[in-house]
């Protein structure tokens, strides 16, 4: 090889190494999410799975990161781990004021979430407006939020019974131990069918609100500079139908799993 050829080879290798160093990262990111909210995210075989974990891993892989999905937390603990800087990413979360202090949110949503009230078929609530729920007993999962307006109403106008696993709320509702449970209509229907409560637990026709799940990075993670890229890619994934396809795929995957897998 001539001297000029060697020089060009060195320049090409240097350029390739520079490109690699700018697009790959040795740091492995840690992400967590809601453990009981299919198809957005849930825990199966001690792994966090669902639409949001899949999107998170794909987008950060495009940025050159490896993402470890943590499945050992309840929802409240997941948020606390990111707040304390022990984890970097929440794969999907509502954007509410109490979380703004420790999370940077994408401006593009991962998925829209129509919130409904699930009740016992034999004791349906006469419901036309939130005030109809005053004094009723609501079942909530620790750490759950359904938008600031509903959160504040439930806190001040109803009696809340908290549980650590969603199955407990379905059981309590089926046994008339609580009056209602707010939850996204798609996730609620999937869970009631999977857990065998669809004959007893049904959603009211009224939709309390439409909220949105956003991808969020912790303010201690140093990842906020990637949000413009994440927003662009989320918009593209909505426009090209990827989010819809993943929603269908993970809904079917959840229903195909056995109940024993759900309890792991």
């Amino acid at each position: 090889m001539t001297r000029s050829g060697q020089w060009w080879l060195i320049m090409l290798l240097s350029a390739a190494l520079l490109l690699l160093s700018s697009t790959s990262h040795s740091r492995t990111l840690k992400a967590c999410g809601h453990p009981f909210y299919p198809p957005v995210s849930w825990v199966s075989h001690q792994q966090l799975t669902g639409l949001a974990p899949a999107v998170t891993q794909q987008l950060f892989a495009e940025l050159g990161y490896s993402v470890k999905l943590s499945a050992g937390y309840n929802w409240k603990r997941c948020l606390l781990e990111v707040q304390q800087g022990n984890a970097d990413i929440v794969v999907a979360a509502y954007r509410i004021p109490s979380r703004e202090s420790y999370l940077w949110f994408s401006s593009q949503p991962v998925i829209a979430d129509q919130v409904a009230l699930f009740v016992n078929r034999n004791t349906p609530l006469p419901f036309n407006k939130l005030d109809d729920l005053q004094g009723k007993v609501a079942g909530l999962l620790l750490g759950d939020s359904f938008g600031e307006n509903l959160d504040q109403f439930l806190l001040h106008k109803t009696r809340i019974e908290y549980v650590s696993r969603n199955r407990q709320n379905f059981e309590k509702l089926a046994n008339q131990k609580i009056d209602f449970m707010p939850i996204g209509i798609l996730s609620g229907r999937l869970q009631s069918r999977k857990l065998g409560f669809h004959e007893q637990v049904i959603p009211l026709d009224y939709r309390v609100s439409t909220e949105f799940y956003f991808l969020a990075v912790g303010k201690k993670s140093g990842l906020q500079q990637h949000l413009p890229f994440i927003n662009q890619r989320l918009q593209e994934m909505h426009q090209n139908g990827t989010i819809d396809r993943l929603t269908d795929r993970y809904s079917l995957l959840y229903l195909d799993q056995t109940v024993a897998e759900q309890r792991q």
Side-chain angles (χ1 to χ4, degrees):
M1 180 180 293
T2 65
R3 184 178 296 273
S4 61
Q6 290 175 338
W7 184 82
W8 279 110
L9 180 59
I10 291 171
M11 291 296 292
L12 287 172
L13 288 173
S14 298
L17 288 171
L18 181 62
L19 180 62
L20 182 62
S21 65
S22 66
T23 58
S24 64
H25 306 268
S26 58
R27 175 184 168 198
T28 297
L29 304 177
K30 188 175 182 180
C32 60
H34 202 303
F36 306 112
Y37 214 88
V40 178
S41 64
W42 76 98
V43 174
S44 175
H45 293 298
Q46 300 180 350
Q47 296 290 325
L48 188 69
T49 189
L51 158 70
V55 169
T56 298
Q57 285 193 313
Q58 178 177 332
L59 296 188
F60 280 95
E62 291 174 10
L63 288 165
Y65 290 96
S66 174
V67 177
K68 178 183 178 182
L69 298 170
S70 299
Y73 308 135
N74 63 35
W75 181 222
K76 186 175 182 179
R77 182 70 188 190
C78 166
L79 296 170
L80 182 62
E81 288 292 304
V82 178
Q83 182 178 6
Q84 293 178 340
N86 299 322
D88 304 294
I89 304 165
V90 181
V91 297
Y94 284 5
R95 185 172 187 168
I96 57 175
S98 62
R99 296 173 182 168
E100 298 273 4
S101 63
Y102 62 93
L103 291 175
W104 296 107
F105 290 87
S106 62
S107 59
Q108 291 291 325
V110 176
I111 189 172
D113 194 34
Q114 287 191 323
V115 180
L117 301 178
F118 280 69
V119 299
N120 186 297
R121 181 188 295 273
N122 296 321
T123 55
L125 289 173
F127 179 80
N128 294 297
K129 58 186 183 303
L130 282 182
D131 285 343
D132 294 335
L133 301 176
Q134 286 197 46
K136 302 297 183 181
V137 182
L140 292 181
L141 194 69
L142 287 168
D144 259 354
S145 169
F146 294 97
E148 187 69 9
N149 289 340
L150 182 55
D151 288 350
Q152 291 301 312
F153 178 88
L154 295 175
L155 183 62
H156 297 292
K157 302 292 186 180
T158 70
R159 286 199 301 117
I160 300 175
E161 293 190 6
Y162 291 100
V163 298
S164 59
R165 300 176 68 88
N166 259 13
R167 183 183 182 89
Q168 295 169 285
N169 269 336
F170 282 95
E171 290 174 342
K172 290 169 75 172
L173 199 51
N175 293 318
Q176 301 180 26
K177 301 295 185 182
I178 57 176
D179 295 312
F180 69 95
M181 171 179 60
I183 191 172
I185 184 67
L186 176 57
S187 187
R189 282 175 169 163
L190 288 171
Q191 291 185 67
S192 64
R193 178 160 293 278
K194 167 56 69 176
L195 298 173
F197 294 107
H198 57 285
E199 296 290 344
Q200 302 157 282
V201 176
I202 61 170
L204 296 177
D205 291 335
Y206 186 91
R207 299 294 175 264
V208 179
S209 64
T210 298
E211 303 296 333
F212 295 91
Y213 272 105
F214 297 91
L215 193 156
V217 299
K219 290 193 173 180
K220 295 182 178 181
S221 70
L223 298 172
Q224 64 268 25
Q225 72 270 20
H226 298 309
L227 287 174
F229 170 82
I230 290 169
N231 291 328
Q232 178 184 345
R233 290 291 290 116
L234 284 172
Q235 184 178 35
E236 291 169 357
M237 294 174 84
H238 279 287
Q239 291 174 343
N240 64 24
T242 298
I243 296 296
D244 288 339
R245 288 191 294 273
L246 288 173
T247 300
D248 292 342
R249 173 187 172 188
Y250 282 102
S251 294
L252 291 174
L253 178 63
Y254 175 78
L255 291 175
D256 284 343
Q257 292 174 342
T258 66
V259 174
E261 289 172 342
Q262 294 286 307
R263 293 175 177 171
Q264 291 181 357

